[in-house]
mmCIF file with all atom_site columns, all heavy atoms in Angstrom:
data_model
loop_
_atom_site.group_PDB
_atom_site.id
_atom_site.type_symbol
_atom_site.label_atom_id
_atom_site.label_alt_id
_atom_site.label_comp_id
_atom_site.label_asym_id
_atom_site.label_entity_id
_atom_site.label_seq_id
_atom_site.pdbx_PDB_ins_code
_atom_site.Cartn_x
_atom_site.Cartn_y
_atom_site.Cartn_z
_atom_site.occupancy
_atom_site.B_iso_or_equiv
_atom_site.pdbx_formal_charge
_atom_site.auth_seq_id
_atom_site.auth_comp_id
_atom_site.auth_asym_id
_atom_site.auth_atom_id
_atom_site.pdbx_PDB_model_num
ATOM 1   N N   . TRP G 1 73 ? -18.302 11.030 9.060  1.00 0.00 ? 331 TRP G N   1
ATOM 2   C CA  . TRP G 1 73 ? -19.136 12.142 8.598  1.00 0.00 ? 331 TRP G CA  1
ATOM 3   C C   . TRP G 1 73 ? -18.735 12.470 7.165  1.00 0.00 ? 331 TRP G C   1
ATOM 4   O O   . TRP G 1 73 ? -17.551 12.497 6.826  1.00 0.00 ? 331 TRP G O   1
ATOM 5   C CB  . TRP G 1 73 ? -18.933 13.368 9.476  1.00 0.00 ? 331 TRP G CB  1
ATOM 6   C CG  . TRP G 1 73 ? -19.570 14.613 8.939  1.00 0.00 ? 331 TRP G CG  1
ATOM 7   C CD1 . TRP G 1 73 ? -20.870 15.002 9.105  1.00 0.00 ? 331 TRP G CD1 1
ATOM 8   C CD2 . TRP G 1 73 ? -18.939 15.630 8.144  1.00 0.00 ? 331 TRP G CD2 1
ATOM 9   N NE1 . TRP G 1 73 ? -21.084 16.204 8.466  1.00 0.00 ? 331 TRP G NE1 1
ATOM 10  C CE2 . TRP G 1 73 ? -19.923 16.603 7.865  1.00 0.00 ? 331 TRP G CE2 1
ATOM 11  C CE3 . TRP G 1 73 ? -17.653 15.804 7.643  1.00 0.00 ? 331 TRP G CE3 1
ATOM 12  C CZ2 . TRP G 1 73 ? -19.654 17.746 7.103  1.00 0.00 ? 331 TRP G CZ2 1
ATOM 13  C CZ3 . TRP G 1 73 ? -17.374 16.931 6.883  1.00 0.00 ? 331 TRP G CZ3 1
ATOM 14  C CH2 . TRP G 1 73 ? -18.370 17.886 6.626  1.00 0.00 ? 331 TRP G CH2 1
ATOM 15  N N   . VAL G 1 74 ? -19.728 12.719 6.316  1.00 0.00 ? 332 VAL G N   1
ATOM 16  C CA  . VAL G 1 74 ? -19.496 13.095 4.922  1.00 0.00 ? 332 VAL G CA  1
ATOM 17  C C   . VAL G 1 74 ? -20.261 14.385 4.649  1.00 0.00 ? 332 VAL G C   1
ATOM 18  O O   . VAL G 1 74 ? -21.446 14.484 4.975  1.00 0.00 ? 332 VAL G O   1
ATOM 19  C CB  . VAL G 1 74 ? -19.960 11.988 3.950  1.00 0.00 ? 332 VAL G CB  1
ATOM 20  C CG1 . VAL G 1 74 ? -19.699 12.401 2.509  1.00 0.00 ? 332 VAL G CG1 1
ATOM 21  C CG2 . VAL G 1 74 ? -19.272 10.664 4.262  1.00 0.00 ? 332 VAL G CG2 1
ATOM 22  N N   . SER G 1 75 ? -19.601 15.351 4.043  1.00 0.00 ? 333 SER G N   1
ATOM 23  C CA  . SER G 1 75 ? -20.254 16.621 3.733  1.00 0.00 ? 333 SER G CA  1
ATOM 24  C C   . SER G 1 75 ? -21.325 16.420 2.666  1.00 0.00 ? 333 SER G C   1
ATOM 25  O O   . SER G 1 75 ? -21.286 15.456 1.904  1.00 0.00 ? 333 SER G O   1
ATOM 26  C CB  . SER G 1 75 ? -19.231 17.660 3.259  1.00 0.00 ? 333 SER G CB  1
ATOM 27  O OG  . SER G 1 75 ? -18.661 17.270 2.029  1.00 0.00 ? 333 SER G OG  1
ATOM 28  N N   . SER G 1 76 ? -22.268 17.351 2.600  1.00 0.00 ? 334 SER G N   1
ATOM 29  C CA  . SER G 1 76 ? -23.414 17.190 1.699  1.00 0.00 ? 334 SER G CA  1
ATOM 30  C C   . SER G 1 76 ? -22.992 17.104 0.235  1.00 0.00 ? 334 SER G C   1
ATOM 31  O O   . SER G 1 76 ? -23.618 16.390 -0.551 1.00 0.00 ? 334 SER G O   1
ATOM 32  C CB  . SER G 1 76 ? -24.399 18.341 1.900  1.00 0.00 ? 334 SER G CB  1
ATOM 33  O OG  . SER G 1 76 ? -23.759 19.582 1.668  1.00 0.00 ? 334 SER G OG  1
ATOM 34  N N   . GLU G 1 77 ? -21.926 17.787 -0.148 1.00 0.00 ? 335 GLU G N   1
ATOM 35  C CA  . GLU G 1 77 ? -21.481 17.743 -1.545 1.00 0.00 ? 335 GLU G CA  1
ATOM 36  C C   . GLU G 1 77 ? -20.387 16.693 -1.768 1.00 0.00 ? 335 GLU G C   1
ATOM 37  O O   . GLU G 1 77 ? -19.848 16.585 -2.865 1.00 0.00 ? 335 GLU G O   1
ATOM 38  C CB  . GLU G 1 77 ? -20.989 19.130 -1.982 1.00 0.00 ? 335 GLU G CB  1
ATOM 39  C CG  . GLU G 1 77 ? -19.634 19.558 -1.468 1.00 0.00 ? 335 GLU G CG  1
ATOM 40  C CD  . GLU G 1 77 ? -19.605 19.896 0.014  1.00 0.00 ? 335 GLU G CD  1
ATOM 41  O OE1 . GLU G 1 77 ? -20.683 20.049 0.629  1.00 0.00 ? 335 GLU G OE1 1
ATOM 42  O OE2 . GLU G 1 77 ? -18.495 20.004 0.572  1.00 0.00 ? 335 GLU G OE2 1
ATOM 43  N N   . ARG G 1 78 ? -20.069 15.914 -0.704 1.00 0.00 ? 336 ARG G N   1
ATOM 44  C CA  . ARG G 1 78 ? -19.095 14.816 -0.750 1.00 0.00 ? 336 ARG G CA  1
ATOM 45  C C   . ARG G 1 78 ? -17.661 15.271 -0.976 1.00 0.00 ? 336 ARG G C   1
ATOM 46  O O   . ARG G 1 78 ? -16.800 14.461 -1.297 1.00 0.00 ? 336 ARG G O   1
ATOM 47  C CB  . ARG G 1 78 ? -19.459 13.769 -1.813 1.00 0.00 ? 336 ARG G CB  1
ATOM 48  C CG  . ARG G 1 78 ? -20.810 13.152 -1.622 1.00 0.00 ? 336 ARG G CG  1
ATOM 49  C CD  . ARG G 1 78 ? -20.995 11.819 -2.356 1.00 0.00 ? 336 ARG G CD  1
ATOM 50  N NE  . ARG G 1 78 ? -20.365 11.761 -3.654 1.00 0.00 ? 336 ARG G NE  1
ATOM 51  C CZ  . ARG G 1 78 ? -19.679 10.686 -4.097 1.00 0.00 ? 336 ARG G CZ  1
ATOM 52  N NH1 . ARG G 1 78 ? -19.543 9.629  -3.350 1.00 0.00 ? 336 ARG G NH1 1
ATOM 53  N NH2 . ARG G 1 78 ? -19.171 10.701 -5.301 1.00 0.00 ? 336 ARG G NH2 1
ATOM 54  N N   . ARG G 1 79 ? -17.376 16.517 -0.793 1.00 0.00 ? 337 ARG G N   1
ATOM 55  C CA  . ARG G 1 79 ? -16.018 17.007 -1.054 1.00 0.00 ? 337 ARG G CA  1
ATOM 56  C C   . ARG G 1 79 ? -15.102 16.914 0.152  1.00 0.00 ? 337 ARG G C   1
ATOM 57  O O   . ARG G 1 79 ? -13.911 17.223 0.059  1.00 0.00 ? 337 ARG G O   1
ATOM 58  C CB  . ARG G 1 79 ? -16.077 18.442 -1.579 1.00 0.00 ? 337 ARG G CB  1
ATOM 59  C CG  . ARG G 1 79 ? -16.681 18.494 -2.974 1.00 0.00 ? 337 ARG G CG  1
ATOM 60  C CD  . ARG G 1 79 ? -16.630 19.864 -3.567 1.00 0.00 ? 337 ARG G CD  1
ATOM 61  N NE  . ARG G 1 79 ? -17.218 19.846 -4.907 1.00 0.00 ? 337 ARG G NE  1
ATOM 62  C CZ  . ARG G 1 79 ? -17.962 20.808 -5.407 1.00 0.00 ? 337 ARG G CZ  1
ATOM 63  N NH1 . ARG G 1 79 ? -18.225 21.878 -4.677 1.00 0.00 ? 337 ARG G NH1 1
ATOM 64  N NH2 . ARG G 1 79 ? -18.462 20.707 -6.622 1.00 0.00 ? 337 ARG G NH2 1
ATOM 65  N N   . SER G 1 80 ? -15.641 16.478 1.274  1.00 0.00 ? 338 SER G N   1
ATOM 66  C CA  . SER G 1 80 ? -14.813 16.249 2.446  1.00 0.00 ? 338 SER G CA  1
ATOM 67  C C   . SER G 1 80 ? -15.481 15.200 3.332  1.00 0.00 ? 338 SER G C   1
ATOM 68  O O   . SER G 1 80 ? -16.687 14.957 3.238  1.00 0.00 ? 338 SER G O   1
ATOM 69  C CB  . SER G 1 80 ? -14.581 17.541 3.235  1.00 0.00 ? 338 SER G CB  1
ATOM 70  O OG  . SER G 1 80 ? -15.799 18.054 3.708  1.00 0.00 ? 338 SER G OG  1
ATOM 71  N N   . SER G 1 81 ? -14.661 14.590 4.157  1.00 0.00 ? 339 SER G N   1
ATOM 72  C CA  . SER G 1 81 ? -15.164 13.607 5.103  1.00 0.00 ? 339 SER G CA  1
ATOM 73  C C   . SER G 1 81 ? -14.297 13.673 6.355  1.00 0.00 ? 339 SER G C   1
ATOM 74  O O   . SER G 1 81 ? -13.216 14.263 6.355  1.00 0.00 ? 339 SER G O   1
ATOM 75  C CB  . SER G 1 81 ? -15.168 12.201 4.503  1.00 0.00 ? 339 SER G CB  1
ATOM 76  O OG  . SER G 1 81 ? -13.867 11.795 4.152  1.00 0.00 ? 339 SER G OG  1
ATOM 77  N N   . ALA G 1 82 ? -14.784 13.056 7.418  1.00 0.00 ? 340 ALA G N   1
ATOM 78  C CA  . ALA G 1 82 ? -14.033 13.049 8.667  1.00 0.00 ? 340 ALA G CA  1
ATOM 79  C C   . ALA G 1 82 ? -14.317 11.769 9.429  1.00 0.00 ? 340 ALA G C   1
ATOM 80  O O   . ALA G 1 82 ? -15.453 11.300 9.480  1.00 0.00 ? 340 ALA G O   1
ATOM 81  C CB  . ALA G 1 82 ? -14.395 14.268 9.516  1.00 0.00 ? 340 ALA G CB  1
ATOM 82  N N   . LEU G 1 83 ? -13.267 11.224 10.001 1.00 0.00 ? 341 LEU G N   1
ATOM 83  C CA  . LEU G 1 83 ? -13.365 10.051 10.847 1.00 0.00 ? 341 LEU G CA  1
ATOM 84  C C   . LEU G 1 83 ? -13.275 10.522 12.289 1.00 0.00 ? 341 LEU G C   1
ATOM 85  O O   . LEU G 1 83 ? -12.340 11.239 12.661 1.00 0.00 ? 341 LEU G O   1
ATOM 86  C CB  . LEU G 1 83 ? -12.226 9.082  10.533 1.00 0.00 ? 341 LEU G CB  1
ATOM 87  C CG  . LEU G 1 83 ? -12.286 7.715  11.187 1.00 0.00 ? 341 LEU G CG  1
ATOM 88  C CD1 . LEU G 1 83 ? -13.410 6.879  10.562 1.00 0.00 ? 341 LEU G CD1 1
ATOM 89  C CD2 . LEU G 1 83 ? -10.960 7.000  11.047 1.00 0.00 ? 341 LEU G CD2 1
ATOM 90  N N   . TRP G 1 84 ? -14.255 10.139 13.105 1.00 0.00 ? 342 TRP G N   1
ATOM 91  C CA  . TRP G 1 84 ? -14.301 10.540 14.505 1.00 0.00 ? 342 TRP G CA  1
ATOM 92  C C   . TRP G 1 84 ? -13.980 9.338  15.379 1.00 0.00 ? 342 TRP G C   1
ATOM 93  O O   . TRP G 1 84 ? -14.624 8.292  15.255 1.00 0.00 ? 342 TRP G O   1
ATOM 94  C CB  . TRP G 1 84 ? -15.682 11.089 14.846 1.00 0.00 ? 342 TRP G CB  1
ATOM 95  C CG  . TRP G 1 84 ? -15.956 11.256 16.306 1.00 0.00 ? 342 TRP G CG  1
ATOM 96  C CD1 . TRP G 1 84 ? -16.798 10.511 17.072 1.00 0.00 ? 342 TRP G CD1 1
ATOM 97  C CD2 . TRP G 1 84 ? -15.396 12.236 17.182 1.00 0.00 ? 342 TRP G CD2 1
ATOM 98  N NE1 . TRP G 1 84 ? -16.789 10.964 18.368 1.00 0.00 ? 342 TRP G NE1 1
ATOM 99  C CE2 . TRP G 1 84 ? -15.930 12.017 18.466 1.00 0.00 ? 342 TRP G CE2 1
ATOM 100 C CE3 . TRP G 1 84 ? -14.465 13.267 16.995 1.00 0.00 ? 342 TRP G CE3 1
ATOM 101 C CZ2 . TRP G 1 84 ? -15.589 12.805 19.567 1.00 0.00 ? 342 TRP G CZ2 1
ATOM 102 C CZ3 . TRP G 1 84 ? -14.127 14.050 18.091 1.00 0.00 ? 342 TRP G CZ3 1
ATOM 103 C CH2 . TRP G 1 84 ? -14.681 13.825 19.353 1.00 0.00 ? 342 TRP G CH2 1
ATOM 104 N N   . LEU G 1 85 ? -12.956 9.488  16.217 1.00 0.00 ? 343 LEU G N   1
ATOM 105 C CA  . LEU G 1 85 ? -12.637 8.466  17.216 1.00 0.00 ? 343 LEU G CA  1
ATOM 106 C C   . LEU G 1 85 ? -13.116 9.008  18.557 1.00 0.00 ? 343 LEU G C   1
ATOM 107 O O   . LEU G 1 85 ? -12.578 9.991  19.068 1.00 0.00 ? 343 LEU G O   1
ATOM 108 C CB  . LEU G 1 85 ? -11.129 8.192  17.269 1.00 0.00 ? 343 LEU G CB  1
ATOM 109 C CG  . LEU G 1 85 ? -10.469 7.722  15.967 1.00 0.00 ? 343 LEU G CG  1
ATOM 110 C CD1 . LEU G 1 85 ? -8.985  7.514  16.185 1.00 0.00 ? 343 LEU G CD1 1
ATOM 111 C CD2 . LEU G 1 85 ? -11.111 6.457  15.470 1.00 0.00 ? 343 LEU G CD2 1
ATOM 112 N N   . GLY G 1 86 ? -14.142 8.381  19.098 1.00 0.00 ? 344 GLY G N   1
ATOM 113 C CA  . GLY G 1 86 ? -14.792 8.934  20.285 1.00 0.00 ? 344 GLY G CA  1
ATOM 114 C C   . GLY G 1 86 ? -13.995 8.781  21.564 1.00 0.00 ? 344 GLY G C   1
ATOM 115 O O   . GLY G 1 86 ? -13.936 9.705  22.382 1.00 0.00 ? 344 GLY G O   1
ATOM 116 N N   . ARG G 1 87 ? -13.376 7.616  21.760 1.00 0.00 ? 345 ARG G N   1
ATOM 117 C CA  . ARG G 1 87 ? -12.613 7.360  22.985 1.00 0.00 ? 345 ARG G CA  1
ATOM 118 C C   . ARG G 1 87 ? -11.306 6.650  22.630 1.00 0.00 ? 345 ARG G C   1
ATOM 119 O O   . ARG G 1 87 ? -11.130 5.460  22.920 1.00 0.00 ? 345 ARG G O   1
ATOM 120 C CB  . ARG G 1 87 ? -13.437 6.497  23.946 1.00 0.00 ? 345 ARG G CB  1
ATOM 121 C CG  . ARG G 1 87 ? -14.704 7.169  24.439 1.00 0.00 ? 345 ARG G CG  1
ATOM 122 C CD  . ARG G 1 87 ? -15.440 6.325  25.477 1.00 0.00 ? 345 ARG G CD  1
ATOM 123 N NE  . ARG G 1 87 ? -15.784 4.983  24.993 1.00 0.00 ? 345 ARG G NE  1
ATOM 124 C CZ  . ARG G 1 87 ? -16.870 4.714  24.290 1.00 0.00 ? 345 ARG G CZ  1
ATOM 125 N NH1 . ARG G 1 87 ? -17.707 5.677  23.960 1.00 0.00 ? 345 ARG G NH1 1
ATOM 126 N NH2 . ARG G 1 87 ? -17.119 3.476  23.900 1.00 0.00 ? 345 ARG G NH2 1
ATOM 127 N N   . PRO G 1 88 ? -10.399 7.356  21.975 1.00 0.00 ? 346 PRO G N   1
ATOM 128 C CA  . PRO G 1 88 ? -9.171  6.686  21.527 1.00 0.00 ? 346 PRO G CA  1
ATOM 129 C C   . PRO G 1 88 ? -8.326  6.189  22.695 1.00 0.00 ? 346 PRO G C   1
ATOM 130 O O   . PRO G 1 88 ? -8.271  6.816  23.760 1.00 0.00 ? 346 PRO G O   1
ATOM 131 C CB  . PRO G 1 88 ? -8.443  7.777  20.738 1.00 0.00 ? 346 PRO G CB  1
ATOM 132 C CG  . PRO G 1 88 ? -9.000  9.063  21.237 1.00 0.00 ? 346 PRO G CG  1
ATOM 133 C CD  . PRO G 1 88 ? -10.403 8.790  21.640 1.00 0.00 ? 346 PRO G CD  1
#
Side-chain angles (χ1 to χ4, degrees):
W331 170 84
V332 180
S333 66
S334 58
E335 75 288 347
R336 302 199 322 138
R337 291 186 180 142
S338 62
S339 61
L341 188 71
W342 167 251
L343 301 179
R345 296 185 303 275

